[in-house]
Amino acid sequence: MTPVQIIFLVVSLMLLVSAFMVVTVRNLVRAALWLISTLFMTAVVFVLLDAGFLAVVQVVVYIGAIAILFIFAVMLTRRVMADTGPQTNANGWWVGLSSLALFAGITWILLGWGGSSADAPIFPAGLDTVTDLGMGLVDPNGFILPFEVASVLLLAALIGAIVVAWDRDN
Amino acid sequence: MATEQLIWLLPLPPLVSFFLIVLLANRNKALSHTIGIGAAFLSWLAGMVVFFRAVTGEHGLHGLGEHPLHSAMDWLPLGDGAFQIGVNIDPLSALTLFFVCWTVLMIFIYSVGYHNFGQPEGEHDQKGLPPHGATVTDEHGHQHTVLSVEPNYSRFFAFISLFAFGMFVLVVSDNLLTLFVGWEIMGLCSYLLIGFWFAKPSARAAAIKAFMTTRIGDVFMLLGLAYLYSAAGSLSYSVIFSPEVLDRLVHDAAVGGFLGLSAAGLIGLLLFIGTVGKSAQFPLHVWLPDAMEGPTPVSAMIHAATMVSAGVYMVIRIFPILAAGAEHGLTPAMTVMAFIGAFTALFAATIAVAQNDIKRVLAYSTISQLGFMIAALGIGAYVAAAFHLLTHAFFKALLFLGSGSVIHGMEHGVLHTGNHDVDPQDMMNMGGLRKKMPVTFWTFLIGGFALSGFPFITAGFWSKDEILADAWAHGHTAVFWTLAIAALLTAFYTMRQIMLTFFGEPRTKEAEHAHETPWTMTAPLVILSVFAVAAGWAGIPEDFPILGGLVANFIHGVSATLPAAMIEKAPAFNVIPLIASLVVALGGLFLGWLVYRKYKAGATDPVKKMLGGLHTVLQNKYYLDELYQATFVRLFNWISEVFTPAMDRGVIDGFLHGIARVAFSLGGIFRDRFETPVITGAADLLGNGVKGFGREFRGIQSGRIQQYMNVVLVIVVVLAVFIYILAQV
Amino acid sequence: MIPLSWYLILAAALFSLGLFGVLSRKNAVAILMGVELMLNAVNINLVAFWRYSAPEVIAGQVFTIIVFAVSAAEVAVGLALVISLYRRRQTVIAENIDLLRW
């Protein structure tokens, strides 16, 4: 067991436990906090995959914005459901079974695929992923179109969210 | 204008007058009679022009016979050719046209005075009833009742205009179809005019009787026309009287070998039955006396001068068909005609002797004289029949118009005395009118003498003598003696009529106060009396002692209408028929004068004294009307009121109801056994099935997305497994 | 070294957990949290494949960036909807929002 493997195993264990907690905990604020934990662990996994920039973006965007948004949403919708009663609906067991089946299926296919046991290729030296990413996003022969589209999407989402949540009675 | 065009236009003015009066001039009496008389005058003018051109053409009447004025046009397209109609003026129609034009015009003018134009309207006068007087106050404040104007004045002129149109169409037509059209138009107008005073029940009944009786004749005539058309292929005179067609008709046996007649015989007989109806011969004569319910100008026009003459005209026209086949004897059709004509002549004359109503005497007289004409034609005396037709039209119209004048005078008397129970038409109430109404008297006398056949001067003598001469010359003694006795009776009852009406002292106050009628009524009388005298002189036989040859025998040219093979020479002069004519005419007149010269008011009729019970039979017209009523009329009433409704309701409606019931029950069975269980059941099953299915299935749509996603997940997993397994295979 | 399969299995497990959360949680916000977990799993997958097939081709990271953007947008709008729904219906329990029921 190389040290990297041990780190990976610890991180993945924490990730999975956090994720489990997100989907089972009754108190929604706690669920949100467990979500933050999950997201953080995901950032660590990105680091392990030599995608540092993405790890930072993960922390900033997901944890810094989205998770906070979740907490706000939970706070704003708390009145009726006073954190009591079971949070899992009637289908809980069957869904659990199905997801388990799904997981089992995917895992089985993966293990049957030869390429899954490949090792990571050597990270080319001098490869500046950040610069490459930046250049790629504005290169006309590159990914400027998806970039622009994503920005339009964000604009639409921005306007849409405002419009949808606008309190018309005021 | 070419004569043929003029002939086409001849019938039109009265038709236009009818429409103008009906549509525009109905309220304006003066305008109506102006239009009517103007139209009659135009037709008269055209008729005179046509007549003179026709008879003064080359060779006179004989040339006209060979080359009649003729014009035809295609009317009804039939296959390759067309049914043609047209106009035709040959000697017969020229003669008929002459007297029709004159009598029509005279009657139109007479009607103005007869319907009291210019008189005030009566206070109690109603449309549909004869006018009965208006009260006027003179300058002294005295109130008099005077004759009032007819309320339906314009209508009268409209109807007689339409009638005149019908007659002109009949006279100028060149084929039997348009002749029949004119015939029927006149039948309609006869109905309308007899029932002119439609609020009187007797007038209504008389109109229906006239129409029905003539209809019986018309049905047979139509059958004859149809048969003729199918046998000859045409109804135009030029075709049906051609030797080839006549030959064929004679040699073909009648349909079904009917009574052993030839086709010509049967056709002739059927067409003759039309005349029996229209010209009031026995047994269809019953309508004519009742038709006296109409105003007197109507009686004059329809029942003297034109309509009944149309029947005789038609039968004279088809003489070639009637006579075809028998070279010098009589065909069966002709024998029938001779018998019916002679019988009717005597029969009607006997009834006339016992009548008291002035118009009834003349009605029976008309029937009798028409019998003379038919009999004449029946024995083959073509020219004599046509001659008598001409003269009779004039003097009978004159007599009728004269009687109308007398009645007017009497009505004036009735209004003066105010006694409405006195019948102004009853001769027993008259007397001494020759002093009060001189013009009427003299013209009536002339007409009456013409009817009786007063020797040499009057027209009736020449025409009647010709008939008797023909009968004697061809050896038809039965006909000869029958007609001679009828002529005797004719003279007798005519003199009786004149004596009762004009001679002696007035037998009632009303007769005392009668006075002469206005010039619109007396002028036509004078004009007609001229013809009643002069018309006969155109037909004096050539070989008549002394008088023969003085005036060219114009009438004899009428025979030129016949096909050449049928034209006979006039019979040689024989003194016996002449003596017979003189004896019967003068004898009858003398007898009438003898019997009635001393007749006083209230006395029994001398004839009644002489005949006793027979007189009652005669007065009641041999109870023939009652016989018809008890048999035919009751039978048909029963059929129409009892039998037919019962058939209609019971049989036909019952049948229909039965069908309906069957249909209903069948429908019910189908509905209950088949439709409801099977079809409705299936449909309901389908519908309910779908509904139930839907109700069960809609649970899928719970509105909860988590449930939807569950399903998606399950399906995805299943599909993935499936595809994986397939990929392995 | 860490074989690719470990990362992929990790992502699969995370994905299944997220799926479980989406399908079984009552609260709508909790469902959206589940959706976030699934998107994160996808991201892990993408980055893993980028690293293990051709790290010099930047398309993998670009894809991931786009997924970031999309998920952010989606969460924003989704939560706005939940809040609007909460204002109308006074509830955020997904089972009670069944207006499109038959």
CSV table of all heavy atoms in Angstrom, one decimal, chain B residues 291-324:
chain,number,residue,atom,x,y,z
B,291,ALA,N,-127.9,27.8,-67.5
B,291,ALA,CA,-126.9,28.8,-67.8
B,291,ALA,C,-127.6,30.2,-67.9
B,291,ALA,O,-126.8,31.2,-68.0
B,291,ALA,CB,-126.1,28.4,-69.0
B,292,MET,N,-128.9,30.2,-68.0
B,292,MET,CA,-129.5,31.5,-68.1
B,292,MET,C,-129.4,32.3,-66.8
B,292,MET,O,-129.8,33.5,-66.8
B,292,MET,CB,-131.0,31.4,-68.5
B,292,MET,CG,-131.2,30.7,-69.8
B,292,MET,SD,-130.6,31.6,-71.2
B,292,MET,CE,-129.3,30.5,-71.8
B,293,GLU,N,-128.8,31.7,-65.8
B,293,GLU,CA,-128.5,32.4,-64.6
B,293,GLU,C,-127.6,33.6,-64.8
B,293,GLU,O,-127.5,34.5,-64.0
B,293,GLU,CB,-128.0,31.5,-63.5
B,293,GLU,CG,-128.9,30.5,-63.0
B,293,GLU,CD,-129.9,31.1,-62.0
B,293,GLU,OE1,-129.6,32.2,-61.5
B,293,GLU,OE2,-131.0,30.5,-61.8
B,294,GLY,N,-126.8,33.4,-65.8
B,294,GLY,CA,-125.8,34.5,-66.1
B,294,GLY,C,-126.4,35.7,-66.7
B,294,GLY,O,-127.6,35.7,-67.1
B,295,PRO,N,-125.7,36.8,-66.7
B,295,PRO,CA,-126.2,38.0,-67.3
B,295,PRO,C,-126.6,37.8,-68.7
B,295,PRO,O,-126.0,36.9,-69.4
B,295,PRO,CB,-125.1,39.1,-67.2
B,295,PRO,CG,-124.1,38.5,-66.2
B,295,PRO,CD,-124.3,37.0,-66.2
B,296,THR,N,-127.5,38.5,-69.3
B,296,THR,CA,-128.0,38.3,-70.6
B,296,THR,C,-126.9,38.4,-71.7
B,296,THR,O,-127.0,37.6,-72.7
B,296,THR,CB,-129.2,39.2,-71.0
B,296,THR,OG1,-130.1,39.1,-69.9
B,296,THR,CG2,-129.9,38.8,-72.2
B,297,PRO,N,-126.0,39.4,-71.7
B,297,PRO,CA,-125.0,39.4,-72.7
B,297,PRO,C,-124.2,38.1,-72.7
B,297,PRO,O,-123.8,37.6,-73.8
B,297,PRO,CB,-124.1,40.5,-72.3
B,297,PRO,CG,-124.9,41.4,-71.4
B,297,PRO,CD,-125.8,40.5,-70.7
B,298,VAL,N,-124.1,37.5,-71.6
B,298,VAL,CA,-123.4,36.2,-71.5
B,298,VAL,C,-124.2,35.1,-72.2
B,298,VAL,O,-123.7,34.4,-73.0
B,298,VAL,CB,-123.2,35.8,-70.0
B,298,VAL,CG1,-122.7,34.3,-69.9
B,298,VAL,CG2,-122.2,36.7,-69.4
B,299,SER,N,-125.5,35.1,-71.9
B,299,SER,CA,-126.4,34.2,-72.6
B,299,SER,C,-126.3,34.4,-74.1
B,299,SER,O,-126.3,33.5,-74.9
B,299,SER,CB,-127.8,34.4,-72.2
B,299,SER,OG,-127.8,34.3,-70.8
B,300,ALA,N,-126.3,35.7,-74.5
B,300,ALA,CA,-126.2,35.9,-75.9
B,300,ALA,C,-124.9,35.5,-76.5
B,300,ALA,O,-124.9,34.8,-77.5
B,300,ALA,CB,-126.4,37.4,-76.2
B,301,MET,N,-123.9,35.8,-75.9
B,301,MET,CA,-122.6,35.5,-76.5
B,301,MET,C,-122.3,34.0,-76.5
B,301,MET,O,-122.0,33.4,-77.4
B,301,MET,CB,-121.5,36.2,-75.7
B,301,MET,CG,-120.1,35.9,-76.2
B,301,MET,SD,-119.2,37.3,-76.6
B,301,MET,CE,-118.5,37.6,-75.0
B,302,ILE,N,-122.4,33.5,-75.2
B,302,ILE,CA,-122.0,32.1,-75.1
B,302,ILE,C,-123.0,31.2,-75.7
B,302,ILE,O,-122.6,30.2,-76.3
B,302,ILE,CB,-121.7,31.8,-73.6
B,302,ILE,CG1,-120.6,32.7,-73.1
B,302,ILE,CG2,-121.4,30.4,-73.4
B,302,ILE,CD1,-120.2,32.5,-71.7
B,303,HIS,N,-124.2,31.4,-75.4
B,303,HIS,CA,-125.2,30.4,-75.6
B,303,HIS,C,-126.0,30.7,-76.9
B,303,HIS,O,-127.0,30.1,-77.1
B,303,HIS,CB,-126.1,30.3,-74.4
B,303,HIS,CG,-125.3,30.1,-73.2
B,303,HIS,ND1,-125.4,31.0,-72.1
B,303,HIS,CD2,-124.3,29.3,-72.9
B,303,HIS,CE1,-124.5,30.6,-71.2
B,303,HIS,NE2,-123.8,29.6,-71.7
B,304,ALA,N,-125.5,31.6,-77.7
B,304,ALA,CA,-126.2,31.8,-78.9
B,304,ALA,C,-125.2,31.9,-80.1
B,304,ALA,O,-125.2,31.1,-81.0
B,304,ALA,CB,-127.0,33.0,-78.9
B,305,ALA,N,-124.3,32.9,-79.9
B,305,ALA,CA,-123.5,33.2,-81.0
B,305,ALA,C,-122.2,32.5,-81.1
B,305,ALA,O,-121.8,32.1,-82.2
B,305,ALA,CB,-123.2,34.7,-80.9
B,306,THR,N,-121.5,32.2,-80.0
B,306,THR,CA,-120.2,31.8,-80.1
B,306,THR,C,-120.0,30.4,-79.5
B,306,THR,O,-119.7,29.4,-80.3
B,306,THR,CB,-119.2,32.7,-79.4
B,306,THR,OG1,-119.8,33.2,-78.2
B,306,THR,CG2,-118.9,33.9,-80.3
B,307,MET,N,-120.1,30.2,-78.2
B,307,MET,CA,-119.6,28.9,-77.7
B,307,MET,C,-120.4,27.7,-78.2
B,307,MET,O,-119.8,26.7,-78.6
B,307,MET,CB,-119.7,28.9,-76.1
B,307,MET,CG,-118.9,27.8,-75.6
B,307,MET,SD,-118.7,27.9,-73.8
B,307,MET,CE,-120.1,26.8,-73.4
B,308,VAL,N,-121.7,27.8,-78.2
B,308,VAL,CA,-122.4,26.6,-78.7
B,308,VAL,C,-122.2,26.5,-80.2
B,308,VAL,O,-122.1,25.4,-80.8
B,308,VAL,CB,-123.9,26.7,-78.4
B,308,VAL,CG1,-124.1,26.6,-76.9
B,308,VAL,CG2,-124.5,28.0,-78.9
B,309,SER,N,-121.9,27.6,-80.9
B,309,SER,CA,-121.6,27.6,-82.3
B,309,SER,C,-120.3,26.9,-82.5
B,309,SER,O,-120.0,26.2,-83.5
B,309,SER,CB,-121.5,29.0,-82.9
B,309,SER,OG,-122.7,29.7,-82.6
B,310,ALA,N,-119.4,27.0,-81.5
B,310,ALA,CA,-118.1,26.4,-81.6
B,310,ALA,C,-118.2,24.9,-81.8
B,310,ALA,O,-117.4,24.3,-82.5
B,310,ALA,CB,-117.2,26.8,-80.4
B,311,GLY,N,-119.2,24.3,-81.0
B,311,GLY,CA,-119.4,22.9,-81.1
B,311,GLY,C,-119.7,22.5,-82.5
B,311,GLY,O,-119.2,21.6,-83.1
B,312,VAL,N,-120.7,23.3,-83.1
B,312,VAL,CA,-121.1,22.9,-84.4
B,312,VAL,C,-120.0,23.2,-85.4
B,312,VAL,O,-119.8,22.5,-86.4
B,312,VAL,CB,-122.4,23.8,-84.8
B,312,VAL,CG1,-122.8,23.5,-86.2
B,312,VAL,CG2,-123.5,23.5,-83.8
B,313,TYR,N,-119.3,24.3,-85.2
B,313,TYR,CA,-118.1,24.6,-86.1
B,313,TYR,C,-117.2,23.5,-86.1
B,313,TYR,O,-116.7,23.1,-87.2
B,313,TYR,CB,-117.5,25.9,-85.6
B,313,TYR,CG,-116.1,26.2,-86.3
B,313,TYR,CD1,-116.1,26.8,-87.5
B,313,TYR,CD2,-114.9,25.8,-85.7
B,313,TYR,CE1,-114.9,27.1,-88.1
B,313,TYR,CE2,-113.7,26.1,-86.3
B,313,TYR,CZ,-113.7,26.7,-87.5
B,313,TYR,OH,-112.5,27.0,-88.1
B,314,MET,N,-116.9,22.9,-85.0
B,314,MET,CA,-115.9,21.9,-84.9
B,314,MET,C,-116.3,20.7,-85.7
B,314,MET,O,-115.6,20.1,-86.4
B,314,MET,CB,-115.6,21.5,-83.4
B,314,MET,CG,-114.4,20.6,-83.2
B,314,MET,SD,-114.7,18.9,-83.3
B,314,MET,CE,-115.7,18.7,-81.8
B,315,VAL,N,-117.6,20.3,-85.5
B,315,VAL,CA,-118.1,19.1,-86.1
B,315,VAL,C,-118.2,19.4,-87.7
B,315,VAL,O,-118.0,18.4,-88.5
B,315,VAL,CB,-119.4,18.7,-85.5
B,315,VAL,CG1,-120.6,19.2,-86.1
B,315,VAL,CG2,-119.5,17.2,-85.3
B,316,ILE,N,-118.5,20.6,-88.1
B,316,ILE,CA,-118.5,20.9,-89.5
B,316,ILE,C,-117.0,20.8,-90.0
B,316,ILE,O,-116.8,20.2,-91.1
B,316,ILE,CB,-119.0,22.3,-89.8
B,316,ILE,CG1,-120.5,22.4,-89.4
B,316,ILE,CG2,-118.9,22.6,-91.3
B,316,ILE,CD1,-121.0,23.8,-89.6
B,317,ARG,N,-116.1,21.2,-89.2
B,317,ARG,CA,-114.7,21.2,-89.6
B,317,ARG,C,-114.3,19.8,-89.8
B,317,ARG,O,-113.5,19.4,-90.8
B,317,ARG,CB,-113.9,21.9,-88.5
B,317,ARG,CG,-112.4,21.8,-88.7
B,317,ARG,CD,-111.9,22.5,-89.9
B,317,ARG,NE,-111.9,23.9,-89.8
B,317,ARG,CZ,-111.7,24.7,-90.8
B,317,ARG,NH1,-111.4,24.2,-92.0
B,317,ARG,NH2,-111.7,26.0,-90.7
B,318,ILE,N,-114.7,18.8,-88.9
B,318,ILE,CA,-114.2,17.5,-89.1
B,318,ILE,C,-115.1,16.6,-90.0
B,318,ILE,O,-115.0,15.4,-89.9
B,318,ILE,CB,-114.0,16.8,-87.7
B,318,ILE,CG1,-115.3,16.7,-87.0
B,318,ILE,CG2,-113.0,17.4,-86.9
B,318,ILE,CD1,-115.3,15.6,-85.9
B,319,PHE,N,-116.0,17.3,-90.7
B,319,PHE,CA,-116.9,16.5,-91.6
B,319,PHE,C,-116.2,15.5,-92.5
B,319,PHE,O,-116.7,14.4,-92.6
B,319,PHE,CB,-117.7,17.5,-92.4
B,319,PHE,CG,-118.7,16.9,-93.2
B,319,PHE,CD1,-119.9,16.4,-92.6
B,319,PHE,CD2,-118.6,16.7,-94.6
B,319,PHE,CE1,-120.9,15.8,-93.4
B,319,PHE,CE2,-119.5,16.1,-95.3
B,319,PHE,CZ,-120.7,15.6,-94.8
B,320,PRO,N,-115.0,15.8,-93.0
B,320,PRO,CA,-114.3,14.8,-93.9
B,320,PRO,C,-114.1,13.5,-93.1
B,320,PRO,O,-114.2,12.5,-93.7
B,320,PRO,CB,-113.0,15.5,-94.2
B,320,PRO,CG,-113.3,16.9,-94.2
B,320,PRO,CD,-114.3,17.1,-93.1
B,321,ILE,N,-113.7,13.6,-91.8
B,321,ILE,CA,-113.5,12.4,-91.1
B,321,ILE,C,-114.8,11.6,-90.9
B,321,ILE,O,-114.9,10.4,-91.0
B,321,ILE,CB,-112.9,12.7,-89.7
B,321,ILE,CG1,-111.5,13.3,-90.0
B,321,ILE,CG2,-112.7,11.4,-88.9
B,321,ILE,CD1,-110.7,13.6,-88.7
B,322,LEU,N,-115.9,12.5,-90.6
B,322,LEU,CA,-117.2,11.8,-90.3
B,322,LEU,C,-117.7,11.1,-91.6
B,322,LEU,O,-118.3,10.1,-91.5
B,322,LEU,CB,-118.2,12.9,-89.8
B,322,LEU,CG,-117.9,13.5,-88.5
B,322,LEU,CD1,-118.7,14.7,-88.3
B,322,LEU,CD2,-118.3,12.5,-87.4
B,323,ALA,N,-117.5,11.8,-92.7
B,323,ALA,CA,-118.1,11.3,-93.9
B,323,ALA,C,-117.2,10.3,-94.7
B,323,ALA,O,-117.6,9.8,-95.7
B,323,ALA,CB,-118.5,12.5,-94.8
B,324,ALA,N,-116.0,10.2,-94.2
B,324,ALA,CA,-115.1,9.3,-95.0
B,324,ALA,C,-115.5,7.9,-95.1
B,324,ALA,O,-116.0,7.3,-94.1
B,324,ALA,CB,-113.7,9.4,-94.3
